[in-house]
Amino acid sequence: MNSSFEAARDHFLRGTALLEQGQAADAEQALLASLGLLPGRASTLANLGVARLQLGRPREALAALDQAAAAEPGAAGTWCHRALALAALGDDGEALRSLDRALAVDAGHAAARHQRAL
């Protein structure tokens, strides 16, 4: 493994740990550092979207989640978080379509099923 990949991975792991601890602003910075070293990683973009949702910035979250969904369309969690960003922006129809997409990928995805029921 090269040092850039290892550094990107370290930033990513730090970012996801910070997200779990509720430190979205610090998580965002760590995830951006990871993307700076390894651009376009779907998992990093998806987590960046989650951090931005937690920070109350759904438009920026949607941009990251759209990139993540394009890079890895089979990630149900990304579609579910995309739906949350869209709902926060008042686009309920598109949010429902994103939830349907999440459930098409994984019919048992609990968060998507819950959000769809709401």
Side-chain angles (χ1 to χ4, degrees):
M1 257 185 253
N2 68 36
S3 61
S4 291
F5 178 85
E6 290 172 1
R9 182 190 63 208
D10 290 345
H11 287 301
F12 172 79
L13 292 173
R14 182 172 179 269
T16 57
L18 288 164
L19 267 178
E20 290 176 8
Q21 296 168 12
Q23 298 178 41
D26 291 334
E28 179 185 33
Q29 294 309 306
L31 294 165
L32 286 170
S34 179
L35 286 168
L37 295 168
L38 204 57
R41 298 275 300 187
S43 58
T44 308
L45 288 162
N47 281 284
L48 178 61
V50 172
R52 289 176 171 172
L53 275 173
Q54 290 180 8
L55 291 167
R57 298 186 346 240
R59 189 163 311 284
E60 292 176 58
L62 183 59
L65 292 162
D66 281 346
Q67 290 178 44
E72 189 178 329
T78 298
W79 291 104
C80 187
H81 284 103
R82 184 178 186 275
L84 294 174
L86 288 160
L89 293 168
D91 192 345
D92 294 334
E94 189 61 29
L96 286 172
R97 285 186 281 284
S98 285
L99 289 170
D100 289 343
R101 183 75 184 261
L103 293 170
V105 170
D106 178 1
H109 193 277
R113 290 172 62 91
H114 175 78
Q115 289 301 317
R116 184 70 172 91
L118 293 175

XYZ file of all heavy atoms in Angstrom:
849
model
N 0.832 -1.181 0.000
C 0.000 0.000 0.000
C 0.876 1.244 0.000
O 1.867 1.303 0.711
C -0.871 0.008 1.257
C -2.294 -0.401 1.003
S -3.297 -0.243 2.476
C -3.474 -1.968 2.878
N 0.446 2.249 -0.759
C 1.247 3.470 -0.750
C 0.806 4.389 0.385
O -0.260 4.240 0.966
C 1.199 4.163 -2.120
C -0.167 4.738 -2.442
O -0.866 5.235 -1.566
N -0.534 4.685 -3.709
N 1.653 5.344 0.679
C 1.400 6.199 1.835
C 0.179 7.091 1.650
O -0.504 7.408 2.629
C 2.638 7.029 2.160
O 2.960 7.864 1.066
N -0.118 7.505 0.415
C -1.318 8.327 0.175
C -2.580 7.537 0.491
O -3.509 8.062 1.106
C -1.374 8.814 -1.269
O -0.368 9.754 -1.510
N -2.614 6.281 0.055
C -3.778 5.446 0.349
C -3.924 5.243 1.855
O -5.029 5.355 2.388
C -3.666 4.091 -0.358
C -4.827 3.191 -0.049
C -5.997 3.289 -0.774
C -4.764 2.270 0.991
C -7.090 2.480 -0.480
C -5.839 1.460 1.300
C -7.012 1.564 0.554
N -2.834 4.958 2.515
C -2.874 4.740 3.967
C -3.312 6.000 4.703
O -4.111 5.932 5.643
C -1.518 4.262 4.474
C -1.199 2.855 4.012
C 0.224 2.422 4.332
O 0.983 3.219 4.933
O 0.581 1.294 3.981
N -2.825 7.156 4.272
C -3.224 8.416 4.907
C -4.709 8.681 4.655
O -5.434 9.103 5.570
C -2.370 9.566 4.382
N -5.170 8.420 3.427
C -6.598 8.605 3.110
C -7.450 7.679 3.970
O -8.481 8.093 4.507
C -6.843 8.347 1.625
N -7.010 6.442 4.113
C -7.739 5.484 4.942
C -7.784 5.947 6.397
O -8.822 5.876 7.051
C -7.100 4.096 4.853
C -7.861 3.039 5.666
C -7.097 1.751 5.777
N -5.871 2.042 6.520
C -4.746 1.376 6.389
N -4.658 0.376 5.560
N -3.680 1.701 7.101
N -6.674 6.448 6.888
C -6.627 6.930 8.273
C -7.579 8.102 8.485
O -8.300 8.153 9.493
C -5.206 7.334 8.665
C -4.267 6.135 8.797
O -4.759 4.975 8.870
O -3.035 6.359 8.820
N -7.609 9.032 7.536
C -8.550 10.156 7.624
C -9.994 9.657 7.585
O -10.849 10.137 8.330
C -8.321 11.152 6.490
C -7.089 11.990 6.639
N -6.863 12.820 7.706
C -6.011 12.126 5.820
C -5.694 13.446 7.543
N -5.166 13.026 6.411
N -10.261 8.687 6.697
C -11.605 8.123 6.581
C -12.028 7.469 7.901
O -13.133 7.717 8.403
C -11.660 7.091 5.449
C -12.947 6.331 5.400
C -14.083 6.900 4.847
C -13.027 5.044 5.912
C -15.290 6.200 4.809
C -14.222 4.342 5.878
C -15.357 4.919 5.323
N -11.165 6.639 8.461
C -11.497 5.957 9.715
C -11.693 6.950 10.854
O -12.603 6.787 11.673
C -10.410 4.936 10.057
C -10.327 3.738 9.112
C -9.106 2.885 9.442
C -11.599 2.925 9.128
N -10.885 7.981 10.883
C -11.056 9.030 11.896
C -12.394 9.731 11.683
O -13.134 9.992 12.634
C -9.903 10.030 11.830
C -10.006 11.120 12.885
C -8.734 11.985 12.907
N -8.883 13.023 13.906
C -9.381 14.229 13.660
N -9.767 14.555 12.448
N -9.493 15.113 14.626
N -12.717 10.033 10.433
C -13.980 10.706 10.126
C -15.194 9.889 10.524
O -16.139 10.420 11.119
N -15.171 8.593 10.238
C -16.325 7.763 10.613
C -16.432 7.616 12.125
O -17.534 7.611 12.666
C -16.276 6.387 9.931
O -15.056 5.722 10.253
C -16.404 6.521 8.407
N -15.293 7.541 12.803
C -15.319 7.466 14.268
C -15.889 8.763 14.858
O -16.690 8.732 15.798
C -13.922 7.199 14.815
N -15.492 9.883 14.305
C -16.002 11.166 14.780
C -17.507 11.285 14.529
O -18.234 11.831 15.368
C -15.243 12.317 14.115
C -13.807 12.509 14.606
C -13.022 13.392 13.646
C -13.794 13.094 16.014
N -17.969 10.774 13.394
C -19.411 10.775 13.118
C -20.160 9.993 14.190
O -21.195 10.440 14.685
C -19.697 10.147 11.752
C -19.798 11.060 10.559
C -20.036 10.257 9.292
C -20.845 12.124 10.738
N -19.633 8.826 14.524
C -20.265 7.994 15.552
C -20.275 8.679 16.914
O -21.156 8.420 17.727
C -19.556 6.640 15.650
C -19.794 5.764 14.444
C -19.005 4.465 14.491
O -18.375 4.167 15.542
O -19.005 3.760 13.475
N -19.327 9.555 17.145
C -19.240 10.286 18.409
C -20.050 11.581 18.382
O -20.043 12.333 19.348
C -17.772 10.610 18.729
C -16.922 9.386 18.950
C -15.428 9.719 18.962
O -15.024 10.872 19.024
N -14.602 8.686 18.885
N -20.713 11.850 17.259
C -21.523 13.058 17.149
C -20.731 14.326 16.882
O -21.231 15.423 17.112
N -19.527 14.184 16.392
C -18.664 15.331 16.104
C -18.608 15.563 14.597
O -17.585 15.364 13.945
C -17.277 15.091 16.683
C -17.279 14.938 18.192
C -15.893 14.662 18.734
O -14.912 15.251 18.283
N -15.817 13.759 19.694
N -19.746 15.999 14.051
C -19.901 16.095 12.598
C -18.942 17.093 11.954
O -18.436 16.831 10.856
C -21.347 16.448 12.257
N -18.667 18.223 12.592
C -17.776 19.218 11.982
C -16.361 18.666 11.833
O -15.729 18.824 10.778
C -17.771 20.501 12.803
N -15.862 18.010 12.868
C -14.529 17.408 12.786
C -14.524 16.235 11.808
O -13.546 16.025 11.084
C -14.061 16.954 14.165
C -13.772 18.132 15.090
O -13.454 19.231 14.602
O -13.866 17.941 16.322
N -15.622 15.486 11.772
C -15.740 14.373 10.827
C -15.680 14.889 9.397
O -14.998 14.309 8.541
C -17.042 13.616 11.061
N -16.392 15.988 9.136
C -16.383 16.570 7.793
C -14.957 16.897 7.364
O -14.552 16.588 6.238
C -17.255 17.823 7.752
C -17.266 18.495 6.392
C -18.034 19.802 6.376
O -18.034 20.527 7.403
O -18.615 20.107 5.330
N -14.192 17.510 8.243
C -12.816 17.880 7.904
C -11.953 16.653 7.625
O -11.156 16.638 6.676
C -12.210 18.745 9.013
C -12.882 20.100 9.147
C -12.979 20.838 7.826
O -11.969 21.023 7.133
N -14.176 21.257 7.454
N -12.100 15.614 8.431
C -11.324 14.389 8.219
C -11.716 13.731 6.897
O -10.849 13.248 6.150
C -11.541 13.421 9.381
N -12.992 13.714 6.586
C -13.449 13.100 5.342
C -13.005 13.906 4.128
O -12.626 13.329 3.101
C -14.965 12.923 5.376
C -15.435 11.925 6.439
C -16.938 12.061 6.686
C -15.075 10.500 6.056
N -13.007 15.219 4.242
C -12.490 16.052 3.148
C -11.000 15.808 2.943
O -10.525 15.777 1.799
C -12.768 17.531 3.435
C -14.212 17.976 3.266
C -14.409 19.385 3.813
C -14.648 17.880 1.813
N -10.265 15.623 4.024
C -8.837 15.316 3.906
C -8.638 13.983 3.191
O -7.753 13.845 2.344
C -8.178 15.295 5.289
N -9.479 13.021 3.506
C -9.407 11.719 2.838
C -9.676 11.858 1.342
O -8.952 11.305 0.511
C -10.393 10.745 3.478
O -10.338 9.496 2.829
N -10.716 12.620 1.015
C -11.054 12.819 -0.399
C -9.973 13.591 -1.143
O -9.788 13.382 -2.344
C -12.398 13.539 -0.530
C -13.624 12.696 -0.219
C -14.864 13.568 -0.104
C -13.818 11.606 -1.273
N -9.273 14.453 -0.436
C -8.174 15.173 -1.060
C -7.061 14.250 -1.512
O -6.377 14.522 -2.508
N -6.893 13.162 -0.795
C -5.852 12.191 -1.135
C -6.361 11.094 -2.064
O -5.602 10.535 -2.850
C -5.316 11.554 0.148
C -4.582 12.499 1.088
C -4.363 11.841 2.439
C -3.256 12.927 0.463
N -7.636 10.784 -1.956
C -8.225 9.690 -2.730
C -9.625 10.123 -3.183
O -10.632 9.726 -2.588
C -8.279 8.441 -1.853
C -8.305 7.086 -2.524
C -7.116 6.889 -3.446
C -8.312 6.000 -1.460
N -9.701 10.964 -4.211
C -10.985 11.522 -4.641
C -11.946 10.469 -5.176
O -11.541 9.426 -5.690
C -10.605 12.494 -5.761
C -9.135 12.517 -5.852
C -8.584 11.421 -5.013
N -13.236 10.769 -5.031
C -14.267 9.959 -5.659
C -14.663 8.692 -4.946
O -15.481 7.938 -5.461
N -14.118 8.410 -3.772
C -14.468 7.185 -3.034
C -15.903 7.279 -2.549
O -16.261 8.178 -1.792
C -13.531 6.972 -1.856
C -12.079 6.776 -2.211
C -11.721 5.399 -2.550
N -12.000 4.508 -1.428
C -11.660 3.255 -1.395
N -11.028 2.724 -2.410
N -11.947 2.513 -0.366
N -16.724 6.330 -2.979
C -18.154 6.361 -2.667
C -18.416 6.343 -1.163
O -19.254 7.109 -0.668
C -18.870 5.197 -3.344
N -17.709 5.508 -0.434
C -17.949 5.418 1.005
C -17.575 6.711 1.717
O -18.258 7.139 2.655
C -17.189 4.238 1.617
O -15.802 4.360 1.366
N -16.522 7.352 1.268
C -16.107 8.620 1.879
C -17.115 9.710 1.546
O -17.507 10.493 2.419
C -14.701 9.010 1.406
O -13.814 7.904 1.612
C -14.172 10.218 2.156
N -17.567 9.754 0.297
C -18.572 10.745 -0.105
C -19.882 10.546 0.651
O -20.509 11.521 1.075
C -18.813 10.659 -1.614
C -17.681 11.195 -2.493
C -17.824 10.680 -3.913
C -17.666 12.719 -2.446
N -20.285 9.299 0.825
C -21.528 9.023 1.553
C -21.423 9.493 3.001
O -22.347 10.127 3.530
C -21.861 7.534 1.490
N -20.303 9.214 3.640
C -20.118 9.658 5.024
C -20.010 11.174 5.117
O -20.486 11.771 6.087
C -18.911 8.962 5.651
C -19.250 7.562 6.091
O -19.899 7.374 7.112
N -18.838 6.565 5.316
N -19.423 11.796 4.119
C -19.389 13.257 4.072
C -20.812 13.805 3.998
O -21.152 14.776 4.678
C -18.558 13.726 2.873
C -18.468 15.231 2.660
C -17.810 15.914 3.851
C -17.703 15.522 1.370
N -21.649 13.159 3.191
C -23.050 13.562 3.119
C -23.745 13.443 4.460
O -24.505 14.331 4.864
N -23.481 12.367 5.178
C -24.073 12.177 6.504
C -23.605 13.282 7.452
O -24.413 13.862 8.192
C -23.720 10.784 7.068
C -24.154 10.654 8.519
C -24.367 9.694 6.222
N -22.316 13.597 7.429
C -21.792 14.661 8.293
C -22.488 15.983 7.986
O -22.895 16.712 8.902
C -20.278 14.793 8.109
N -22.656 16.280 6.719
C -23.288 17.543 6.341
C -24.772 17.560 6.690
O -25.299 18.623 7.032
C -23.037 17.814 4.871
C -21.577 18.172 4.632
C -21.235 18.368 3.193
N -19.874 18.912 3.077
C -19.244 19.035 1.929
N -19.823 18.671 0.797
N -18.024 19.538 1.908
N -25.414 16.407 6.636
C -26.800 16.335 7.123
C -26.848 16.659 8.606
O -27.705 17.422 9.060
C -27.377 14.941 6.886
C -27.993 14.655 5.531
C -28.361 13.181 5.415
C -29.208 15.526 5.302
N -25.940 16.084 9.361
C -25.906 16.329 10.801
C -25.592 17.786 11.116
O -26.010 18.302 12.147
C -24.892 15.404 11.483
C -25.327 13.962 11.507
C -24.328 13.048 12.190
O -23.360 13.493 12.795
N -24.556 11.756 12.076
N -24.894 18.447 10.226
C -24.559 19.852 10.408
C -25.676 20.779 9.934
O -25.539 22.001 10.008
C -23.250 20.187 9.682
C -22.000 19.560 10.284
C -20.821 19.684 9.325
C -21.685 20.210 11.626
N -26.754 20.200 9.425
C -27.885 21.004 8.964
C -27.664 21.663 7.616
O -28.236 22.711 7.331
N -26.851 21.019 6.767
C -26.556 21.557 5.437
C -26.978 20.543 4.369
O -26.132 19.907 3.732
C -25.075 21.902 5.349
C -24.706 22.974 6.373
C -23.298 23.529 6.321
N -22.311 22.847 5.565
C -21.173 22.342 6.080
N -20.924 22.423 7.364
N -20.293 21.761 5.295
N -28.298 20.372 4.198
C -28.784 19.319 3.300
C -28.405 19.508 1.831
O -28.205 18.527 1.119
C -30.299 19.353 3.494
C -30.601 20.706 4.012
C -29.395 21.104 4.816
N -28.284 20.739 1.370
C -27.919 20.944 -0.043
C -26.500 20.435 -0.305
O -26.244 19.757 -1.298
C -28.061 22.412 -0.424
C -27.917 22.629 -1.927
C -28.431 23.963 -2.402
N -29.762 24.326 -1.943
C -30.914 23.837 -2.419
N -30.887 22.933 -3.366
N -32.069 24.250 -1.958
N -25.580 20.742 0.611
C -24.211 20.246 0.469
C -24.164 18.731 0.673
O -23.381 18.038 0.008
C -23.289 20.930 1.473
C -23.074 22.405 1.191
C -22.245 23.050 2.273
O -21.110 22.583 2.503
O -22.732 24.010 2.893
N -24.991 18.240 1.574
C -25.072 16.793 1.786
C -25.530 16.107 0.508
O -24.960 15.087 0.105
C -26.041 16.484 2.929
N -26.545 16.674 -0.127
C -27.088 16.076 -1.352
C -26.032 15.999 -2.450
O -25.942 14.996 -3.157
C -28.310 16.866 -1.818
C -29.026 16.322 -3.043
C -29.523 14.898 -2.801
C -30.178 17.243 -3.411
N -25.220 17.032 -2.571
C -24.165 17.018 -3.592
C -23.213 15.837 -3.376
O -22.866 15.118 -4.319
C -23.406 18.342 -3.587
N -22.792 15.632 -2.135
C -21.887 14.515 -1.833
C -22.588 13.172 -2.032
O -22.005 12.229 -2.579
C -21.361 14.636 -0.405
N -23.842 13.094 -1.609
C -24.588 11.833 -1.737
C -24.882 11.503 -3.189
O -24.871 10.322 -3.573
C -25.869 11.904 -0.903
C -25.604 11.942 0.610
C -26.833 12.440 1.350
C -25.159 10.581 1.116
N -25.133 12.510 -4.012
C -25.331 12.265 -5.444
C -24.067 11.679 -6.074
O -24.136 10.748 -6.880
C -25.722 13.551 -6.173
C -27.183 13.919 -5.988
O -27.981 13.071 -5.532
O -27.532 15.076 -6.312
N -22.915 12.216 -5.685
C -21.650 11.677 -6.201
C -21.443 10.243 -5.728
O -20.995 9.388 -6.497
C -20.482 12.543 -5.735
C -20.419 13.907 -6.377
C -19.268 14.713 -5.814
O -18.156 14.217 -5.639
N -19.530 15.973 -5.503
N -21.770 9.981 -4.464
C -21.611 8.629 -3.917
C -22.537 7.653 -4.630
O -22.119 6.538 -4.973
C -21.904 8.630 -2.413
N -23.785 8.056 -4.872
C -24.755 7.176 -5.549
C -24.324 6.899 -6.981
O -24.504 5.778 -7.478
C -26.151 7.797 -5.502
N -23.752 7.893 -7.642
C -23.273 7.683 -9.015
C -22.090 6.718 -9.037
O -21.982 5.880 -9.937
C -22.878 9.020 -9.643
N -21.227 6.814 -8.039
C -20.048 5.948 -7.981
C -20.387 4.533 -7.550
O -19.744 3.573 -7.985
C -19.009 6.543 -7.029
N -21.400 4.396 -6.688
C -21.785 3.083 -6.176
C -23.307 3.027 -6.019
O -23.848 3.191 -4.924
C -21.104 2.819 -4.832
C -21.276 1.402 -4.342
C -20.535 1.169 -3.030
O -19.491 1.792 -2.783
O -21.036 0.341 -2.247
N -24.016 2.783 -7.133
C -25.484 2.816 -7.093
C -26.124 1.690 -6.282
O -27.317 1.756 -5.987
C -25.889 2.741 -8.565
C -24.700 2.237 -9.285
C -23.492 2.582 -8.469
N -25.357 0.716 -5.872
C -25.900 -0.399 -5.105
C -25.801 -0.237 -3.606
O -25.961 -1.209 -2.866
N -25.582 0.983 -3.130
C -25.461 1.230 -1.686
C -26.784 1.787 -1.166
O -27.081 2.972 -1.327
C -24.315 2.187 -1.401
N -27.566 0.944 -0.530
C -28.889 1.345 -0.046
C -28.805 2.487 0.956
O -29.647 3.393 0.951
C -29.610 0.152 0.573
N -27.806 2.475 1.811
C -27.662 3.526 2.808
C -27.481 4.901 2.184
O -28.006 5.897 2.694
N -26.750 4.956 1.090
C -26.555 6.226 0.395
C -27.888 6.765 -0.109
O -28.193 7.945 0.042
C -25.564 6.062 -0.769
O -24.297 5.661 -0.240
C -25.404 7.352 -1.555
N -28.699 5.886 -0.707
C -30.011 6.314 -1.203
C -30.906 6.774 -0.061
O -31.662 7.731 -0.190
C -30.668 5.190 -2.005
C -29.969 4.936 -3.291
C -29.132 3.902 -3.590
C -30.011 5.761 -4.466
N -28.656 4.032 -4.873
C -29.184 5.153 -5.437
C -30.668 6.940 -4.780
C -29.000 5.696 -6.700
C -30.488 7.483 -6.050
C -29.664 6.871 -6.993
N -30.816 6.104 1.067
C -31.621 6.479 2.229
C -31.204 7.862 2.749
O -32.068 8.712 3.023
C -31.487 5.415 3.314
S -32.583 5.676 4.716
N -29.922 8.100 2.861
C -29.452 9.411 3.316
C -29.766 10.487 2.282
O -30.085 11.630 2.641
C -27.956 9.371 3.636
C -27.669 8.695 4.924
N -27.188 7.418 4.985
C -27.839 9.101 6.199
C -27.055 7.068 6.253
N -27.452 8.070 7.011
N -29.701 10.127 1.010
C -30.083 11.071 -0.049
C -31.539 11.484 0.139
O -31.887 12.660 -0.004
C -29.859 10.425 -1.414
C -30.133 11.340 -2.575
C -29.841 10.640 -3.915
N -29.961 11.566 -5.009
C -31.103 11.871 -5.609
N -32.240 11.315 -5.225
N -31.130 12.747 -6.603
N -32.384 10.534 0.494
C -33.794 10.833 0.738
C -33.956 11.804 1.895
O -34.794 12.717 1.843
C -34.568 9.545 1.010
N -33.165 11.634 2.946
C -33.242 12.545 4.090
C -32.847 13.965 3.686
O -33.472 14.940 4.126
C -32.355 12.044 5.228
C -32.778 10.724 5.870
C -31.730 10.264 6.874
C -34.141 10.845 6.515
N -31.810 14.077 2.861
C -31.394 15.403 2.391
C -32.488 16.040 1.539
O -32.810 17.225 1.703
C -30.086 15.296 1.596
N -33.074 15.261 0.655
C -34.141 15.778 -0.199
C -35.358 16.198 0.608
O -35.961 17.239 0.346
C -34.522 14.730 -1.247
C -33.486 14.530 -2.350
C -33.691 13.199 -3.039
C -33.553 15.693 -3.337
N -35.714 15.406 1.605
C -36.856 15.753 2.455
C -36.577 17.054 3.200
O -37.467 17.908 3.328
C -37.151 14.619 3.429
N -35.341 17.225 3.665
C -34.981 18.460 4.366
C -35.066 19.673 3.440
O -35.314 20.786 3.894
C -33.580 18.347 4.961
N -34.890 19.429 2.149
C -34.986 20.501 1.161
C -36.417 20.683 0.644
O -36.664 21.530 -0.204
C -34.032 20.220 -0.008
C -32.547 20.285 0.344
C -31.696 19.719 -0.780
C -32.145 21.727 0.658
N -37.333 19.861 1.142
C -38.733 19.987 0.758
C -39.120 19.260 -0.507
O -40.228 19.457 -1.020
N -38.258 18.402 -1.030
C -38.562 17.652 -2.250
C -39.009 16.239 -1.875
O -38.276 15.265 -2.041
C -37.341 17.621 -3.161
C -37.662 17.107 -4.558
O -38.743 16.505 -4.750
O -36.828 17.310 -5.456
N -40.235 16.147 -1.370
C -40.741 14.865 -0.867
C -40.888 13.813 -1.959
O -40.630 12.636 -1.720
C -42.070 15.073 -0.149
C -41.920 15.896 1.121
O -40.821 15.897 1.704
O -42.903 16.536 1.519
N -41.271 14.216 -3.149
C -41.426 13.256 -4.239
C -40.124 12.575 -4.600
O -40.058 11.348 -4.740
N -39.085 13.366 -4.738
C -37.771 12.792 -5.058
C -37.226 12.004 -3.872
O -36.553 10.991 -4.052
C -36.794 13.893 -5.479
C -35.487 13.376 -6.032
C -35.628 12.520 -7.292
O -36.571 12.726 -8.068
O -34.784 11.624 -7.474
N -37.543 12.447 -2.654
C -37.126 11.694 -1.468
C -37.749 10.305 -1.481
O -37.074 9.306 -1.209
C -37.518 12.446 -0.197
N -39.026 10.229 -1.827
C -39.695 8.923 -1.910
C -39.067 8.048 -2.989
O -38.886 6.844 -2.789
C -41.186 9.101 -2.172
C -42.003 9.586 -0.985
C -43.428 9.923 -1.421
C -42.009 8.566 0.132
N -38.707 8.646 -4.116
C -38.053 7.866 -5.177
C -36.703 7.330 -4.708
O -36.326 6.201 -5.040
C -37.928 8.701 -6.449
C -39.269 8.838 -7.188
C -39.130 9.538 -8.526
N -39.020 10.983 -8.402
C -40.039 11.803 -8.141
N -41.253 11.320 -7.976
N -39.846 13.100 -8.053
N -35.977 8.123 -3.921
C -34.694 7.649 -3.387
C -34.900 6.507 -2.405
O -34.132 5.545 -2.386
C -33.939 8.796 -2.719
O -33.401 9.647 -3.688
N -35.937 6.603 -1.584
C -36.233 5.505 -0.650
C -36.629 4.244 -1.411
O -36.230 3.134 -1.044
C -37.328 5.922 0.331
C -36.889 6.961 1.357
C -38.089 7.497 2.118
C -35.850 6.384 2.310
N -37.414 4.413 -2.466
C -37.768 3.257 -3.296
C -36.525 2.631 -3.910
O -36.422 1.402 -4.007
C -38.771 3.657 -4.375
C -40.148 3.966 -3.813
O -40.445 3.570 -2.662
O -40.937 4.622 -4.529
N -35.578 3.468 -4.304
C -34.327 2.958 -4.877
C -33.536 2.189 -3.815
O -32.989 1.115 -4.088
C -33.505 4.129 -5.425
C -32.229 3.747 -6.105
C -32.469 3.155 -7.494
N -31.254 2.704 -8.098
C -30.558 3.389 -8.998
N -30.981 4.552 -9.419
N -29.462 2.883 -9.498
N -33.505 2.731 -2.601
C -32.822 2.033 -1.504
C -33.452 0.669 -1.273
O -32.748 -0.331 -1.094
C -32.879 2.867 -0.226
N -34.777 0.622 -1.292
C -35.475 -0.645 -1.040
C -35.364 -1.605 -2.221
O -35.408 -2.816 -2.028
C -36.930 -0.370 -0.679
C -37.098 0.344 0.670
C -38.526 0.812 0.861
C -36.645 -0.551 1.808
N -35.188 -1.081 -3.416
C -34.950 -1.951 -4.569
C -33.590 -2.626 -4.449
O -33.420 -3.779 -4.852
C -35.039 -1.145 -5.866
N -32.638 -1.919 -3.861
C -31.299 -2.474 -3.643
C -31.325 -3.475 -2.499
O -30.726 -4.546 -2.579
C -30.291 -1.336 -3.357
C -28.961 -1.883 -2.879
C -30.106 -0.466 -4.585
N -32.018 -3.117 -1.418
C -32.057 -3.952 -0.215
C -33.436 -3.826 0.418
O -33.695 -2.893 1.187
C -30.969 -3.517 0.758
C -30.958 -4.306 2.057
O -31.794 -5.230 2.223
O -30.120 -3.991 2.919
N -34.315 -4.759 0.103
C -35.704 -4.704 0.577
C -35.810 -4.738 2.093
O -36.808 -4.294 2.657
C -36.512 -5.854 -0.026
N -34.793 -5.198 2.762
C -34.822 -5.275 4.215
C -34.118 -4.127 4.921
O -33.949 -4.168 6.136
N -33.720 -3.114 4.191
C -32.997 -1.980 4.795
C -33.929 -1.270 5.770
O -34.880 -0.598 5.393
C -32.515 -1.033 3.694
C -31.520 -0.032 4.173
N -31.874 1.141 4.794
C -30.165 -0.046 4.124
C -30.785 1.817 5.093
N -29.732 1.119 4.701
N -33.647 -1.440 7.054
C -34.563 -0.975 8.108
C -34.794 0.529 8.080
O -35.932 0.981 8.209
C -34.037 -1.409 9.476
N -33.737 1.305 7.929
C -33.896 2.762 7.940
C -34.725 3.229 6.754
O -35.582 4.111 6.894
C -32.540 3.444 7.947
N -34.494 2.645 5.591
C -35.268 3.027 4.405
C -36.728 2.623 4.563
O -37.633 3.381 4.203
C -34.667 2.407 3.148
N -36.963 1.452 5.121
C -38.353 1.007 5.350
C -39.052 1.940 6.334
O -40.206 2.323 6.132
C -38.369 -0.427 5.866
C -37.945 -1.444 4.804
C -37.771 -2.839 5.384
N -39.005 -3.369 5.937
C -39.880 -4.092 5.261
N -39.669 -4.357 4.000
N -40.965 -4.553 5.857
N -38.337 2.317 7.380
C -38.906 3.233 8.374
C -39.219 4.591 7.753
O -40.334 5.114 7.935
C -37.940 3.383 9.557
C -38.382 4.382 10.565
N -39.360 4.113 11.487
C -37.990 5.663 10.786
C -39.557 5.187 12.240
N -38.735 6.130 11.836
N -38.263 5.165 7.051
C -38.464 6.473 6.426
C -39.581 6.423 5.389
O -40.374 7.351 5.272
C -37.174 6.981 5.794
C -36.114 7.390 6.781
C -36.574 8.485 7.715
O -37.219 9.451 7.321
N -36.262 8.332 8.991
N -39.647 5.327 4.649
C -40.710 5.188 3.620
C -42.077 5.135 4.284
O -43.044 5.704 3.791
C -40.453 3.925 2.785
C -41.421 3.731 1.626
C -41.154 4.791 0.565
N -41.881 4.583 -0.645
C -43.103 5.088 -0.901
N -43.744 5.771 0.002
N -43.660 4.887 -2.073
N -42.154 4.472 5.427
C -43.437 4.384 6.140
C -43.867 5.750 6.666
O -45.062 6.048 6.693
C -43.314 3.393 7.301
N -42.892 6.563 7.064
C -43.226 7.896 7.552
C -43.757 8.763 6.433
O -44.589 9.610 6.589
C -41.999 8.580 8.183
C -41.494 7.942 9.474
C -40.214 8.630 9.924
C -42.534 8.018 10.568
